[in-house]
């Protein structure tokens, strides 16, 4: 592991740092809270602001970003890891103004690559530094691959809903992140999905934020809420993001507001794709 890390450090000495690339991991404590929908529509909202956006499907077990985007990827990150394709060859342009990279089971294999293989992958991955925003839709829960993405990102957005189980699992996810995943200050933000009113979203967020502050001594920022609306289900059936299907719907307006709020802040760390990869490799498995 140390030899790999040293090899990566040497490579990165000659790699331009992409300090302006903001890397966001979107995660949740449980499945079924709308995390992928949030990731996809947030990416498009950023693109509508003129940002260069890359969306990575990091849900390695139940990858479904491509379903919402109505694309069928022939290649994924494993083809790059295995040296069969370049990063340029696997990135897909979409009709929604964002670029998409399909994930793959075994992505965490990069932690076990030889120094030569690791350097080649790092060289390929560094090409993503031309993006303004990289959004990683992680899997739900605390699997090792989820923890790697979370540990390496500049910011972590935790998605929950008003359901008691979702609230409990969101707290559990934040607890794992702060006590087991990272050993540095981490920028955690909260989004409450499928609310029926803004007051409901605020009430849920206050409950989580207060408990996290009291028992974990961790600051969590509330980004906002997204309304429950039939538009979302309709968009999934049509395989077109709701921000495109109905740009004036409540969920679309909510996402645009959230992205606008994000743009007014700076992450605590913003060191680009080179730093992301080093932290991803450096994370020790369980």
């Amino acid at each position: 592991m140390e030899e790999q890390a040293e090899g990566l450090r040497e490579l990165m000495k000659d790699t331009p740092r992409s300090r302006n690339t903001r890397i966001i991991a979107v995660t949740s404590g449980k499945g079924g809270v709308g995390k992928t929908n949030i990731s996809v529509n947030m990416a498009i909202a950023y693109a509508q602001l003129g940002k260069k956006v890359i969306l990575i499907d990091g849900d390695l077990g139940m990858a479904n970003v491509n379903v919402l985007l109505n694309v069928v990827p022939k290649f994924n990150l494993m083809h790059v890891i295995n040296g069969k394709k370049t990063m340029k060859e696997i990135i897909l342009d979409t009709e929604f103004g964002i670029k998409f990279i399909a994930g793959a089971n075994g992505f965490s294999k990069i932690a076990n690559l030889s120094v030569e293989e690791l350097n080649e992958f790092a060289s390929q991955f560094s090409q993503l530094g031309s993006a303004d925003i990289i959004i990683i839709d992680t899997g739900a829960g605390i699997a090792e691959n989820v923890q790697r993405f979370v540990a390496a990102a500049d910011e972590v957005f935790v998605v929950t809903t008003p359901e008691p189980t979702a609230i409990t699992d969101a707290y559990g996810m934040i607890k794992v992140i702060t006590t087991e995943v990272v050993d540095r200050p981490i920028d955690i933000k909260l989004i409450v999905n499928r609310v029926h009113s803004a007051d409901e979203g605020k009430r849920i967020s206050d409950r989580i934020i207060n408990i996290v502050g009291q028992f974990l001594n961790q600051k969590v920022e509330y980004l906002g809420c997204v309304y429950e609306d039939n538009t979302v289900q309709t968009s999934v059936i049509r395989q077109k993001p709701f921000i495109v299907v109905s740009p004036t719907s409540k969920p679309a307006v909510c996402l645009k507001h959230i992205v606008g709020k994000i743009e007014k802040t700076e992450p605590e760390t913003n060191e680009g794709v080179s730093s992301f990869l080093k932290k991803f490799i450096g994370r020790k498995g369980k």
Side-chain angles (χ1 to χ4, degrees), residues 37-216:
N37 244 322
I38 295 292
S39 299
V40 170
N41 285 277
M42 182 183 296
I44 295 171
Y46 259 116
Q48 291 175 347
L49 293 178
K51 301 290 185 179
K52 295 179 181 178
V53 184
I54 296 176
L55 177 62
I56 299 177
D57 193 339
D59 191 343
L60 309 184
M62 297 288 289
N64 56 5
V65 169
N66 61 295
V67 176
L68 295 182
L69 294 174
N70 194 25
V71 296
V72 181
K74 293 182 179 179
F75 309 111
N76 56 52
L77 279 171
M78 279 304 296
H79 290 94
V80 178
I81 294 171
N82 294 331
K84 296 179 179 179
K85 294 291 178 181
T86 66
M87 192 67 73
K88 184 177 180 180
E89 289 174 319
I90 73 164
I91 295 180
L92 292 178
D93 289 312
T94 72
E95 61 180 291
F96 309 113
I98 65 174
K99 294 182 181 296
F100 169 59
I101 295 177
N105 283 313
F107 180 58
S108 56
K109 175 189 172 185
I110 66 172
N112 300 315
L113 297 180
S114 68
V115 174
E116 292 75 17
E117 290 172 328
L118 184 61
N119 286 350
E120 175 58 28
F121 179 77
S123 177
Q124 292 292 329
F125 198 84
S126 67
Q127 296 177 24
L128 303 185
S130 60
D132 297 310
I133 307 289
I134 295 176
I135 296 177
I136 304 167
D137 177 43
T138 78
I142 57 174
E144 172 60 22
N145 61 287
V146 176
Q147 293 187 32
R148 283 186 182 276
F149 284 126
V150 166
D154 297 321
E155 301 163 274
V156 180
F157 294 176
V158 177
V159 180
T160 188
T161 68
E163 295 178 4
T165 53
I167 295 170
T168 301
D169 288 339
Y171 170 77
M173 186 67 184
I174 295 171
K175 181 178 180 179
V176 169
I177 292 171
T178 56
T179 61
E180 299 180 27
V181 176
V182 297
D183 55 2
R184 59 182 173 82
I186 188 164
D187 204 344
I188 301 177
K189 296 180 170 66
L190 184 68
I191 297 174
V192 184
N193 193 25
R194 297 176 181 164
V195 303
H196 294 91
S197 69
D199 286 343
E200 182 181 34
K202 185 67 165 58
R203 186 173 67 252
I204 299 299
S205 67
D206 283 348
R207 186 188 313 174
I208 295 173
I209 289 170
N210 289 337
I211 294 174
V212 169
Q214 180 179 353
F215 293 101
L216 304 178

